[in-house]
Amino acid sequence: MRIPAFFWFFTTITASVMANDIVLISGGPALRSHERFKTASHDKYWGNFIDSALARVGELQKGLGPGDRLTWLVFRPGYVTRGEEDKQDYFKLIEERGQKHGLVPIYFDNKEQLFTLLRRDGSPERPKISRLEYYGHSNKKCWMFDYSNRVDGGAIEPLVVHVDDLEKISGSSFTPNATCVSYGCHSGEEFSQRWRMVVGRPMVGAIGKTDYSDGGMPKLSEGKGGSWAY
Amino acid sequence: MGLLIPILLLLVSADFCFAPPLQPRQTTPASGAPSDSSSGSSFDSASTTKPVVSPDATEDEEIRQPVPEKVLRATLPAAHTPARHGDTSGPYWIGQRTMVEDYCGWGWLRTEKAGWSQARWVVIQYDPEICPVPHAFLPRPQDDMDYQYKLYGEFAPYRAYEPQADVWVDVFLIKGFVSLGPAKNPILREPPAHGSSKPNRFAERGANLR
């Protein structure tokens, strides 16, 4: 009789101590000097990936358990260069907007830093990830934090999470029932499947393009026959 | 006799009635001869004399005669690219600006001695404070299409990802350039088009749970 009671007590205590983390990742915007003359011009507005991530916060906060927390990771270099181009201090705006939702951005400068931030062991300092959402540029093979920023129409290697890099993300950093979503374009065409194979957790991704132009949460581009896929 | 008298009278009166014959008029002052606008008489002895043109001026005009090719070049937008910009010391590559639809990159780069068949497709990464790309001086990126440059700088130790074709492309870090003008011919080679991925070794092994 004493042993089941002990187990009940142990699991209850463990569950309350083992808090989880919801991670939101915001990629960087393109430069207008690269995009201005293109037919499909990206990022007329600098804050697409900031506003969309923050639009999701209210909804996610409702589902937070005791001790759970929200972490907002922002790709810093993209906002440095776009800020220089637009002559604006975007970090001030990012931090002000985060503050309204009780969030402080954690900046990362390259993919290695992101992998470090995603490395979790379940300790109170590094709780496991129960949900991960990505807002930024992507194609079927990559997340591109730096698309059309340093180089016109592309992204440089240290600032791209390619499917070949996914083995640097461990599935043990996630809770067993963790869900991941990529709100970038074309992620559902290959990246999601490779994520599930390598990281071992399902990822929802778009087949076709996603559209941030209306503000708030991105939606699938109309008229392209797009859908969401695991 | 009756006819001779009117003919003689006509000849004598013609000298009084007809104006003197016109001489060619000098519209611009010859070099070194300032015009006198206050005199106002175009029939002065000075203005009726033939303008004296120095042989040097004639030669100058001949040299400055614009040939159609030069006129065309001067009207091209790429004529506004500076001839030299940034740090142009050290080794250089010959680059030809080429744009391929739905493909990222600046164009082709080769060494001085190599032919265009050995050229590499590159994207250019630049620091605006050191040296921007040449077309940054022009109204539109396509304005220096098929122009050649000497490009100073080095290749980056990393590559760039081209998302449309799913390939990795070389990155050139520019520090200066010299404009060489329009190329004789466009380069019609296709840029690289190999897949970016390695085989997925996790497909059979299972998830990475290290």
Side-chain angles (χ1 to χ4, degrees):
Chain A
M1 189 62 194
R2 278 184 184 176
I3 292 171
F6 170 74
F7 273 113
W8 175 81
F9 177 76
F10 180 76
T11 48
T12 312
I13 292 295
T14 311
S16 62
V17 171
M18 291 272 284
N20 295 322
D21 195 5
I22 293 174
V23 176
L24 304 176
I25 305 169
S26 293
L31 293 187
R32 290 306 298 155
S33 52
H34 291 151
E35 291 293 309
R36 190 173 293 131
F37 302 99
K38 295 179 184 171
T39 319
S41 177
H42 294 95
D43 298 337
K44 289 173 189 165
Y45 171 54
W46 68 273
N48 284 333
F49 308 132
I50 298 296
D51 289 359
S52 51
L54 292 175
R56 184 86 172 101
V57 169
E59 209 175 312
L60 291 169
Q61 276 171 338
K62 288 175 197 164
L64 288 180
D68 287 356
R69 68 181 197 193
L70 255 163
T71 303
W72 183 30
L73 307 178
V74 178
F75 177 68
R76 182 193 346 236
Y79 295 95
V80 173
T81 45
R82 180 66 184 254
E84 283 168 358
E85 187 182 64
D86 296 348
K87 296 184 173 45
Q88 292 280 338
D89 182 5
Y90 286 136
F91 294 103
K92 193 180 165 203
L93 295 173
I94 290 169
E95 282 154 29
E96 278 172 4
R97 289 179 192 186
Q99 209 169 25
K100 284 180 190 166
H101 295 85
L103 282 180
V104 177
I106 296 172
Y107 296 113
F108 66 97
D109 294 330
N110 53 50
K111 65 181 171 190
E112 296 304 328
Q113 286 182 9
L114 178 71
F115 296 149
T116 307
L117 289 164
L118 294 181
R119 203 169 294 142
R120 308 301 177 91
D121 57 6
S123 64
E125 296 79 32
R126 294 195 295 169
K128 294 210 175 192
I129 300 165
S130 61
R131 188 174 183 90
L132 180 139
E133 296 189 3
Y134 171 70
Y135 300 84
H137 288 290
S138 66
N139 75 342
K140 66 177 184 178
K141 297 266 189 185
C142 298
W143 284 346
M144 293 175 280
F145 307 127
D146 195 47
Y147 174 77
S148 213
N149 194 302
R150 305 271 172 121
V151 296
D152 183 6
I156 58 172
E157 201 173 5
L159 310 178
V160 161
V161 175
H162 190 268
V163 286
D164 290 342
D165 296 318
L166 291 181
E167 62 187 81
K168 292 173 186 165
I169 300 173
S170 172
S172 60
S173 295
F174 294 79
T175 60
N177 56 352
T179 308
C180 308
V181 187
S182 170
Y183 287 104
C185 302
H186 304 289
S187 288
E189 294 166 26
E190 184 172 338
F191 195 88
S192 292
Q193 291 80 13
R194 292 284 286 264
W195 179 280
R196 192 180 65 235
M197 275 187 239
V198 179
V199 182
R201 300 292 180 272
M203 171 175 273
V204 178
I207 293 178
K209 291 187 173 185
T210 50
D211 185 1
Y212 289 76
S213 62
D214 287 345
M217 288 296 290
K219 58 188 184 192
L220 288 166
S221 286
E222 285 175 9
K224 301 276 171 72
S227 63
W228 296 102
Y230 280 98
Chain B
M1 192 64 194
L3 263 175
L4 276 174
I5 291 165
I7 289 168
L8 280 171
L9 279 171
L10 190 70
L11 285 173
V12 172
S13 64
D15 204 30
F16 300 105
C17 298
F18 295 131
L22 288 172
Q23 295 292 324
R25 185 178 165 190
Q26 189 180 0
T27 51
T28 51
S31 58
S35 67
D36 185 10
S37 58
S38 61
S39 68
S41 69
S42 56
F43 295 101
D44 287 353
S45 60
S47 65
T48 51
T49 53
K50 279 192 177 180
V52 181
V53 181
S54 73
D56 289 349
T58 327
E59 273 175 22
D60 263 5
E61 273 177 21
E62 278 169 11
I63 289 165
R64 285 175 191 161
Q65 201 78 331
V67 293
E69 192 195 345
K70 279 187 180 174
V71 171
L72 181 68
R73 265 191 218 177
T75 53
L76 287 174
H80 302 289
T81 314
R84 183 183 291 267
H85 194 81
D87 177 6
T88 52
S89 60
Y92 64 86
W93 281 260
I94 305 292
Q96 182 160 330
R97 172 80 166 136
T98 306
M99 290 178 84
V100 177
E101 198 176 348
D102 282 343
Y103 199 99
C104 96
W106 180 85
W108 295 99
L109 227 61
R110 64 169 172 85
T111 54
E112 176 86 72
K113 289 174 186 171
W116 286 112
S117 59
Q118 280 114 48
R120 296 158 79 172
W121 180 265
V122 295
V123 298
I124 292 185
Q125 188 181 342
Y126 65 91
D127 182 338
E129 288 175 12
I130 296 171
C131 178
V133 279
H135 65 254
F137 295 94
L138 305 174
R140 297 171 307 164
Q142 62 267 36
D143 286 340
D144 67 344
M145 179 79 171
D146 293 325
Y147 263 65
Q148 288 190 348
Y149 300 91
K150 275 183 187 175
L151 297 176
Y152 295 80
E154 58 185 359
F155 280 93
Y158 48 81
R159 302 165 296 174
Y161 182 67
E162 200 301 301
Q164 313 291 336
D166 180 32
V167 294
W168 294 106
V169 179
D170 292 322
V171 178
F172 186 77
L173 306 168
I174 191 170
K175 64 169 190 170
F177 68 83
V178 173
S179 179
L180 299 176
K184 284 180 184 165
N185 297 306
I187 298 172
L188 301 172
R189 256 176 82 190
E190 293 286 324
H194 50 83
S196 68
S197 302
K198 296 171 198 161
N200 178 19
R201 57 199 180 87
F202 288 92
E204 291 170 7
R205 205 179 77 181
N208 170 26
L209 296 171
R210 279 175 291 144

